[in-house]
Amino acid sequence: TKTHPVKFSAQNDVWKGFYLRSNSSKSVVNHLLVENTAALNAGILNLTGGFTIYNSEISINALEINQTLAEDAINIVNSKIDIDNLKINGSRSDAFDCDFCVGSIHNSSINGSDGDGFDFSGSTVRLRAVLIENVKDKAISAGENSKLQILDSVFNRVGVGIAAKDSSEVSGKELSISD
């Protein structure tokens, strides 16, 4: 619940994170706090995200990810996404990496990333009411023919506001980019 979220954290310094793969039913994550993740390398399984979702239909509401050492705080691949109230704080590299996804992200924030805030490849995503602060690289990166619509969002203290490359299309309305 909002007042009693589920908490995944390391017993010591860091842990190898969360991995979800689903080929059939829709998955739902509500009121989850994830802290102190690193990447998972186990045999043939080599995941770059501290929180990884692959080949899934996922609904996320109130997910908070704090302090990750993984390449991506959250990495979603080949999935249908409906994300509301995502918060990522403190990412050593990219905060959110989304490859070949379709869906929406609303009422979400990223604070503190040494890489990109949101990094999209081959995705079609609508973002609304997104706050991105203290990101050393790009607030939004769109590549590999991504199609993004960004509405009513604020980017502050970022290296680059929005980058569109590799035949990607990005449209925006009511955006504020400063510092």
Side-chain angles (χ1 to χ4, degrees):
T1 66
K2 184 176 182 176
T3 56
H4 294 86
V6 172
K7 181 178 178 181
F8 290 172
S9 189
Q11 287 182 329
N12 296 314
D13 295 332
V14 295
W15 65 294
K16 295 182 181 186
F18 180 92
Y19 175 49
L20 170 70
R21 179 180 177 163
S22 173
N23 290 325
S24 56
S25 63
K26 182 177 183 176
S27 298
V28 178
V29 173
N30 286 318
H31 305 290
L32 176 61
L33 173 60
V34 178
E35 297 179 323
N36 304 316
T37 58
L40 172 61
N41 295 309
I44 63 169
L45 191 58
N46 184 11
L47 304 176
T48 62
F51 192 98
T52 301
I53 299 167
Y54 180 77
N55 200 36
S56 299
E57 181 177 351
I58 183 93
S59 175
I60 295 173
N61 179 35
L63 168 62
E64 184 172 344
I65 301 175
N66 295 323
Q67 307 308 317
T68 185
L69 297 177
E71 182 179 326
D72 309 307
I74 184 169
N75 186 3
I76 304 176
V77 180
N78 195 39
S79 296
K80 183 176 179 185
I81 61 171
D82 179 15
I83 298 172
D84 188 37
N85 197 20
L86 168 68
K87 295 179 182 173
I88 301 174
N89 302 298
S91 179
R92 186 182 73 166
S93 189
D94 293 344
F96 184 100
D97 193 327
C98 198
D99 302 324
F100 309 104
C101 295
V102 174
S104 63
I105 301 168
H106 302 279
N107 307 311
S108 296
S109 65
I110 293 172
N111 188 353
S113 173
D114 289 346
D116 295 333
F118 286 96
D119 185 0
F120 296 95
S121 296
S123 296
T124 301
V125 177
R126 180 179 180 178
L127 297 99
R128 177 184 288 278
V130 171
L131 173 63
I132 302 173
E133 297 182 298
N134 303 309
V135 169
K136 290 186 178 177
D137 204 352
K138 299 169 286 296
I140 303 281
S141 179
E144 291 80 31
N145 201 31
S146 289
K147 294 181 182 13
L148 305 180
Q149 183 181 37
I150 308 166
L151 306 167
D152 189 30
S153 294
V154 175
F155 311 149
N156 191 26
R157 294 180 304 281
V158 298
V160 173
I162 300 170
K165 56 193 180 213
D166 310 322
S167 301
S168 294
E169 298 175 17
V170 178
S171 66
K173 186 175 181 181
E174 297 187 26
L175 303 178
S176 172
I177 303 173
S178 60
D179 296 328

